[in-house]
Every structure is written in structure tokens, then in C-alpha cells.
Amino acid sequence: MKKSIAITLIAGAIGAEALLPSQNPRSQHVLPLKSTVVEQKETVVENESKPRSQPSEYWKITSSTFHPQPRPLTSDLAEAMEMNTHPTESQEELGQGLSIESDWRENWHTYESPADDPDLIDDDTGYAEYECEVEGYLPDDLQGTLYRNGPGKFGVNGERVQHVLDADALVYKIDIPAPDSSGERKVKFLSRFVSTHHFEEEQKANKFLYRGTFGTGPSFEGLDSREKNGLNTDPAEPSVLSKIVGGAFNTDIKNSANTQIISFGGKVLTLFEAGLPFRLDPITLETLGEDTMGGVLKAALPVKLGKDLEEFEPDFIGGDAHTAHPQRCPDGNLVGWSWSQLPISKSLEVTFTEWAEENFDPLATSTFEIPNCALAPHDMAITENSIIFMINALEMNQLPFLLNLKGPAGSLAMDGRKNVKAWIFPRPSSKNQFEPFMVDVPACFSIHFSHGYEDEKTGNLVTFFSGWPPSDSKDFLGAWGGFCPDFRQIPPTFLWRLEIDPKEKRTVSLDIAPGCQNICTEHMLVHPNFNTKRCENVYGTASNVIGDSTPPNGYVRLKVERGNTRKLQPGEPNEDVDAYWFGTRYFVTEPIIVPKDGRDPNDEDAAFLLGMVRDAAKEKNFLAVFDLEKDLKEGPVAKVWLRSGVPHGIHGCFSKDSNGGSSVFC
């Protein structure tokens, strides 16, 4: 039973106006930013396209909540696939949630060299390093390093992981320097797999040795007759007997280090919620080992017997696991929490810590117990004085986990019709200390917070989070199993507004945020100076504006304080939104908001939005740069092209330097 209770939730028309060279006197080695889809189509055909002779079985429109059955491609999409280019699409046509299943699957291929550049990426280490090509104009006041983290190595010895979130971490960075004396800028890319001890041992053994959080694990080879078809094909499920014999009661959960990456206090850390962070060299991205975050964390199983029994704890327990979602405050402090299970009292111990940017020094810490809580929450919201958790209605079925039939996350039973519990704690550094309290929140499922604040007029706590409406879904993140996320099983994700009265300790209201009706969005964030303040704009990935559940292929700006509150029917488009859609054959990942150098930090619009985008026709990714002083619908001002594709990542950060300086992140 060692680690069976040490579990956490893991939960992730180009139409752009080309900037004229006369808008900035500096010269850059760049390509013009294509202003129409027709021009873009011609470029792809000329530079990249190679007609495909045989249609794939996955040449069909991706299934969704509204359309669970496969749909054939339209004639335009079929032609685009045959010619390996993009269909002609306008911004007005997009936003309906259309994508192509084969494109979506390729978005989850393991990280490897492209066919036209076979020596670009080292298969064993993920190492690649090169100069990037810039299309459009890269603003002078955007300088620093973008770091990204996510699943990248999707298996071992030809055997693919059973769930994409079990893959080993790929980290990469894009260095954007200041212009030199001649006005030139050389943007550079570097990537590596995170070399945890689990990763190294499995690569050396050439097989899975450890249990993954979502179901990947060892099996008994003598009872396992599966063919290993490669890391980019559907994983075959081991037989029940081979799983039981090969891994029953093996509760050593693998730290994949694949969720978040932050730069702070002279360190660059990868974060994974069921273990300790791993520290990376900020320049080379080489793995330096586990990190205790200034001595706050202990390297042992995150299970404790309780204060009265501490002296009887064996050495292998009594440790901590740290969240993948710390928050950076406008004052510069980092706020995070670690957790340990208390199986005797059936509680969760959480320790909140605030660190100073200088030397990663802990400034304040406080520890609490959450009764009847078997699972750590995934994210938190912070205000000036408070920390807010949402505890979703999940229960653990121990038997399939212990028998190695399911991973810990797969053993969770979700009740989408049950109330959620919001816990409110005082921030460790706050002068306004109070006893933690809990309030019931109407049924929903909380995933990520964008921000929170204390309302000056009412004193109420207000926060915004992405989540699912009440549903009959029972399988937590099970739809992310198999080869890639299956949107037939994922409820549509919306941005919600929650208001809590801390005096009466009750929920005042919970509803889809103003202006957000039928906008399927995730990975929302705000200007980093407004993390604990009321603000007008929330940004996120966008899947569609009709309330369906589909892959993301655009970015959206949501006016959450003064948006339209009119209710829309499922399928009715929300036309009152600032969004940019790259097109049917593109996919986007979580954006990051980077304040402009030297500008007023209280100006929400004085910032850039950075987002990694996959071009399925070119089979390459680019970094899109939006100027937030313009409407998103005007499109990116620049694209920084990689020489290969990268798998669909999860989280990232942006630092003004590449030496572990403070960063902005989700």
C-alpha cells in the first residue's frame, strides 16, 4: 500500500497583416509574414508539399462530443490532404471545431528527426540545437528565453506508453536575444529529454520498469505476446495476467518530470506532481538531479503517519511531492505547495511556502490538514491574502491499482454530478491570518485557474477556472489514454467564474464567465501583474465557439468582467469574441503572456502572447508572437520556425535571461 495513497491529479485563415519593413529600421533575416491563406498554401506547396499517394484510415474529421461518429472529409479537406497543403479558409469560416484525425495523431508522435533531416535530433537524448528562421517581424522589446515542457519520449524499445501523459519529458528552449549593433538577431533552439533516474534505468533496460501515473507499467514477458509496433502506432494492451505477474504490488510510481518548467531564483526546474522537481542547467538543459527547493522538500515517499507517530516512520516515507502549478505573485514571490498523504487519518497534509527570488530563499511557510481528502488538487488560485483549492469529486479504487491493472489516475472514479469542495487558506506571508475553511460549490470539474482577487466592494473572493459542466463522465482523463486524447469522451471545457463570501463561508455564484458562452477554451492566463487582481482580459487556447469538445487550433481573448452574459444554445456560435484561428490543419498549445520591456506593468495590453503552433502540412512547429496592443484577430506579427515538429506540450515559462532568472508562467 506504500504508494497507493501517494497520488495526485494530473491534469492540458492565417489572415495576419504583414508588417511593412518601414515600421522598424532594424534589419532582420526574416521571411515576410503571409497575409492570406492562398499565399500560405502556395508557400507550403513550393517548400514542403509532397503529394500523398494513399489516403490513411485516419483521413476523417476528428470526432467530438457533438459528432461522436466519424465523418468523411469535405472535398476541400481531402484535396488538402492529398496535396499535403492547407485548404483555403477564412476567419469567418473557422471556429467550428474542425480538424483531421491523422493530423491530430501526428501531433502526438514521439520526438525524432524529420525524414528530410535525419540527423537533426539525437534519438537517445533528444538533443538538437540550431538557429531558427523568423517569418514576419520580431519586436525589439521581446527579449529572453522561452522554456517548454511536456511528454516527448513516448515509450521504450518500440513499445508506446499506454497514456500520453506517461511519456518521458521533453524540454526545449528558444533564445530570443537583443538585436546586435547591426540590428540582426539570431534566434536559437535547444532541446533535450529530462534524464531522470527512472528515464535512464528504463532506457538502459530497454523496457518499462516503473508504474506510470496513467497506466503504463511493467508486464511479465513470458506471458506477453504483444507485437511492439513502434512508438508512433497505437499501443497494444498487455494481457491481464502479464500485468498482474509483472507488476502487482509494485507501487513505485515513475517521476516523468513532464508537466511544468519554471525559471526562478537562479534555477530552472521541471515539475511533476507526484514527486520532487528536477533541476536543469539553464544554458545546456542537461539534467542536474532532484531539487528540494531551498531545503523545503524531503526526498522520500509522500506518506506520513502523523505528528504523534513521526518517530516510528521508516526512512522510505515521510517525504513530499511538490505541485506542478506554483504561482508567481506581482510582488515577485513564488508561492507553491507540497503534499503528503496521512493514511491513518485519511487526510492530506499540505504545506504552503513562499520563496524570494534571490537565492530561492524560503520566506514563509504554513502547514494544514485537509480532512477526508485522498488526492492532492491539481492547481490553485491566489489572491493578496488567500489560497484557493478546488477538491473535485473523485474516489480511489485501490484494487485495480495494486494489481497493476490500472494506473493510479485510471483507478479514480469521478462523480460529475456531485458538489465540489473549495478550501480557502491564508497565504503564508499574509498579515491577515485566518482559520482555513471549506465551502460547497455546485457540481462541476475544475482543471486550471487563470487568476483570483478580493473584490474591493464586497470583500468576496472571485476566481476564474477552466472546467467541465456537470456531466455523467466517470473516467478521469481516461480519454487521454490510447494514442492521443479522444474528444468524444472529454466534456467541453469552459471558463467559469466562482464567487465566495468569506464572511458567511458560502458560495455566492458559479457560472460560465461573462463573454465565454460556448467558447471551448483551456490553459487560460492573464497578464502576470494581474495574477491576484481584477483584470479585463483572460487569454487561452481556443477549440471552437459553438460549445463542442474539439482539439485547439486558435487563441482567444475573453472579456471576463464586462462580456455578454446572454445564454447560448449548444451549437450556437458566440460571435462576440476576439479570436484568431490558424486553420483546420493547425494545433496550438498553452500561451504565455510576456510584458513588454519598459512599459507600465498596470497596462494589460502592453504585452505579447507567445504560443507554440503545429503546422500539420509542413510537419513542423513555429512560435507565434502576437502583439496584445492589437486585436488577436489581426494575427501574429511573427513566427519563429523550428526545423522539426515537437509533440503537443503542456506548460512553459518565459524568462528575461537564460541563467535561471525569474520567469512568467501559468
Side-chain angles (χ1 to χ4, degrees):
M1 299 280 291
K2 293 178 183 176
K3 286 192 177 177
S4 62
I5 46 180
I7 301 163
T8 185
L9 302 179
I10 298 183
I14 290 302
E17 295 181 353
L19 243 59
L20 298 175
S22 60
Q23 288 182 274
N24 193 295
R26 296 187 186 275
S27 62
Q28 298 189 53
H29 292 297
V30 299
L31 299 173
L33 191 64
K34 299 300 179 181
S35 61
T36 68
V37 174
V38 174
E39 287 184 66
Q40 179 198 41
K41 179 175 179 178
E42 292 172 351
T43 300
V44 172
V45 172
E46 178 184 352
N47 297 335
E48 302 288 344
S49 77
K50 185 176 181 180
R52 304 183 183 190
S53 57
Q54 295 295 327
S56 162
E57 63 177 299
Y58 300 109
W59 283 21
K60 53 190 176 184
I61 295 175
T62 306
S63 299
S64 69
T65 302
F66 288 179
H67 302 281
Q69 299 303 317
R71 289 177 290 165
L73 298 180
T74 64
S75 58
D76 287 348
L77 292 180
E79 180 182 0
M81 293 299 291
E82 290 167 1
M83 298 302 297
N84 198 22
T85 184
H86 292 280
T88 300
E89 299 171 311
S90 68
Q91 290 293 302
E92 290 72 22
E93 295 173 294
L94 295 168
Q96 303 299 305
L98 290 185
S99 61
I100 299 172
E101 186 169 345
S102 61
D103 289 344
W104 180 238
R105 288 172 61 88
E106 290 174 6
N107 198 35
W108 298 91
H109 279 191
T110 200
Y111 185 55
E112 58 189 359
S113 297
D116 61 355
D117 198 353
D119 298 321
L120 180 66
I121 301 166
D122 185 276
D123 289 340
D124 295 327
T125 65
Y127 170 76
E129 189 171 9
Y130 52 81
E131 187 174 335
C132 299
E133 191 175 70
V134 178
E135 180 183 345
Y137 178 74
L138 201 56
D140 285 357
D141 49 354
L142 177 62
Q143 302 171 21
T145 300
L146 172 73
Y147 294 96
R148 294 283 303 170
N149 188 8
K153 183 77 167 177
F154 283 86
V156 60
N157 191 27
E159 182 179 356
R160 186 177 172 91
V161 292
Q162 296 292 320
H163 195 291
V164 295
L165 296 182
D166 280 337
D168 290 293
L170 167 71
V171 296
Y172 59 88
K173 68 172 184 171
I174 298 175
D175 287 321
I176 304 175
D180 62 19
S181 57
S182 65
E184 294 187 359
R185 308 174 77 177
K186 292 183 178 180
V187 180
K188 295 184 178 180
F189 173 89
L190 174 66
S191 65
R192 292 186 191 274
F193 297 131
V194 179
S195 188
T196 68
H197 54 282
H198 290 136
F199 173 83
E200 291 180 344
E201 291 171 19
E202 290 190 336
Q203 295 301 309
K204 184 177 180 179
N206 226 16
K207 62 181 180 180
F208 293 121
L209 300 175
Y210 297 96
R211 303 279 300 278
T213 302
F214 291 89
T216 305
S219 59
F220 183 66
E221 294 181 3
L223 298 171
D224 191 354
S225 59
R226 293 174 301 151
E227 292 186 5
K228 297 178 180 179
N229 298 321
L231 303 188
N232 293 331
T233 59
D234 291 281
E237 182 79 15
S239 68
V240 171
L241 188 57
S242 70
K243 293 173 74 172
I244 293 175
V245 175
F249 302 103
N250 171 6
T251 56
D252 197 354
I253 301 301
K254 179 179 179 178
N255 185 339
S256 297
N258 66 8
T259 309
Q260 173 64 295
I261 184 169
I262 64 170
S263 178
F264 185 83
K267 298 179 181 181
V268 171
L269 303 176
T270 64
L271 304 178
F272 178 75
E273 295 172 303
L276 296 186
F278 275 83
R279 186 175 179 181
L280 307 181
D281 184 299
I283 304 298
T284 68
L285 295 183
E286 292 175 301
T287 305
L288 303 178
E290 289 184 322
D291 191 89
T292 61
M293 300 185 74
V296 171
L297 308 177
K298 178 183 176 182
L301 188 68
V303 176
K304 298 179 180 180
L305 301 181
K307 294 181 179 179
D308 296 336
L309 299 174
E310 284 183 358
E311 60 181 300
F312 301 106
E313 287 181 348
D315 292 339
F316 65 85
I317 67 172
D320 307 284
H322 192 272
T323 179
H325 280 290
Q327 301 282 351
R328 183 173 176 268
C329 305
D331 62 12
N333 290 352
L334 182 72
V335 183
W337 86 91
S338 58
W339 60 268
S340 297
Q341 296 287 350
L342 302 174
I344 295 177
S345 62
K346 297 182 179 180
S347 302
L348 185 78
E349 180 184 273
V350 292
T351 298
F352 299 104
T353 304
E354 297 198 26
W355 289 270
E357 184 177 351
E358 185 175 357
N359 299 321
F360 222 116
D361 288 335
L363 294 175
T365 186
S366 55
T367 299
F368 304 97
E369 287 187 24
I370 304 178
N372 300 313
C373 180
L375 303 162
H378 176 61
D379 198 4
M380 69 174 175
I382 58 174
T383 68
E384 184 177 351
N385 295 289
S386 302
I387 295 172
I388 303 170
F389 276 171
M390 294 278 279
I391 309 296
N392 292 308
L394 294 162
E395 293 184 0
M396 179 72 176
N397 186 351
Q398 298 280 359
L399 186 59
F401 168 67
L402 292 175
L403 293 179
N404 192 32
L405 298 178
K406 293 183 178 181
S411 301
L412 294 172
M414 169 183 162
D415 188 345
R417 300 288 178 183
K418 191 174 182 179
N419 281 0
V420 171
K421 298 183 184 301
W423 275 90
I424 293 85
F425 303 89
R427 278 183 52 180
S429 64
S430 173
K431 296 180 180 179
N432 181 23
Q433 294 295 306
F434 56 86
E435 285 296 316
F437 62 92
M438 184 272 291
V439 300
D440 279 326
V441 176
C444 62
F445 191 92
S446 169
I447 307 174
H448 292 113
F449 289 96
S450 63
H451 67 298
Y453 62 88
E454 297 159 19
D455 190 284
E456 295 181 354
K457 294 181 179 179
T458 65
N460 291 346
L461 302 174
V462 179
T463 188
F464 296 80
F465 65 90
S466 66
W468 303 332
S471 74
D472 294 319
S473 179
K474 302 295 183 184
D475 191 6
F476 170 66
L477 284 184
W480 285 60
F483 192 87
C484 61
D486 183 352
F487 286 89
R488 293 173 297 179
Q489 304 177 52
I490 303 173
T493 306
F494 303 118
L495 182 64
W496 296 79
R497 181 185 186 275
L498 171 65
E499 184 170 351
I500 294 172
D501 185 335
K503 295 180 180 178
E504 297 187 9
K505 297 180 175 54
R506 66 178 182 89
T507 295
V508 176
S509 62
L510 173 70
D511 205 346
I512 292 178
C516 300
Q517 284 284 331
N518 278 359
I519 298 174
C520 186
T521 181
E522 237 287 51
H523 295 302
M524 309 80 42
L525 72 170
V526 299
H527 186 296
N529 193 48
F530 290 82
N531 202 24
T532 62
K533 306 174 185 177
R534 179 188 177 105
C535 63
E536 292 293 326
N537 302 314
V538 173
Y539 302 89
T541 62
S543 297
N544 60 79
V545 295
I546 60 173
D548 200 0
S549 181
T550 59
N553 53 18
Y555 291 114
V556 65
R557 180 187 342 228
L558 303 169
K559 298 291 186 180
V560 296
E561 294 292 347
R562 52 187 176 89
N564 197 319
T565 58
R566 184 174 70 89
K567 302 295 184 183
L568 301 177
Q569 295 299 313
E572 184 180 355
N574 187 333
E575 298 176 345
D576 186 21
V577 63
D578 180 22
Y580 183 78
W581 308 99
F582 287 92
T584 297
R585 300 199 64 198
Y586 293 87
F587 302 103
V588 306
T589 58
E590 173 194 68
I592 293 177
I593 307 301
V594 180
K596 293 184 177 181
D597 288 338
R599 297 291 296 276
D600 182 0
N602 293 312
D603 182 354
E604 289 186 55
D605 296 332
F608 299 105
L609 182 150
L610 309 184
M612 290 301 299
V613 184
R614 179 176 177 83
D615 182 327
K618 288 189 177 184
E619 298 181 9
K620 288 179 171 61
N621 284 66
F622 60 86
L623 173 66
V625 180
F626 290 83
D627 186 339
L628 295 182
E629 292 186 279
K630 302 180 178 183
D631 289 339
L632 282 182
K633 61 186 178 183
E634 295 185 34
V637 298
K639 299 177 183 178
V640 178
W641 282 95
L642 308 190
R643 288 170 54 184
S644 76
V646 291
H648 195 85
I650 302 182
H651 299 298
C653 69
F654 188 90
S655 176
K656 296 297 183 182
D657 64 52
S658 58
N659 295 299
S662 186
S663 60
V664 294
F665 51 87
C666 255

